[in-house]
Amino acid sequence: MIVAVIMCFYRRDDLEYFKLSVDSILSQSYNSFELFIFRDGVVNPLAQQFLDSLKENTKVTVIESSSNIGLARGLNVLIDRVTSLGYFDYI
């Protein structure tokens, strides 16, 4: 069973809590998952640096938007991406 984990990041979100969330997901003992992150609009340089570092992890896909489209639309972008890949059992 392969699980897709989706989350959005917006420039006003607290980077510290976002890092904790991502680290928690990536350190799970269950390894059959992929993490999809949607960057909603422009973020500060530290947040962008963290997102760029995540791109090196094969379990993480970062999708970026240059403008803010909102949480609901961002999640829909991720769901569309995950379902188009077709090999996930759960989102």
Side-chain angles (χ1 to χ4, degrees):
M1 175 171 46
I2 302 174
V3 176
V5 180
I6 60 174
M7 56 189 312
C8 289
F9 183 75
Y10 179 63
R11 70 176 168 256
R12 291 188 186 150
D13 291 341
D14 189 320
L15 182 58
E16 178 184 350
Y17 291 116
F18 180 68
K19 284 182 175 181
L20 287 172
S21 299
V22 170
D23 290 342
S24 175
I25 292 166
L26 294 177
S27 65
Q28 295 296 309
S29 60
Y30 184 79
N31 286 336
S32 224
F33 72 89
E34 287 186 38
L35 173 60
F36 293 83
I37 300 171
F38 183 77
R39 188 202 72 199
D40 193 10
V42 178
V43 296
N44 70 50
L46 286 176
Q48 188 59 52
Q49 183 179 10
F50 178 67
L51 290 170
D52 289 343
S53 73
L54 291 174
K55 294 176 185 176
E56 298 172 10
N57 188 322
T58 58
K59 289 196 164 290
V60 179
T61 300
V62 178
I63 301 170
E64 300 176 333
S65 173
S66 59
S67 62
N68 178 329
I69 64 171
L71 177 62
R73 286 181 62 197
L75 291 173
N76 283 334
V77 167
L78 292 174
I79 291 169
D80 288 345
R81 174 67 181 271
V82 168
T83 56
S84 72
L85 295 173
Y87 58 86
F88 291 97
D89 298 308
Y90 295 98
I91 299 174

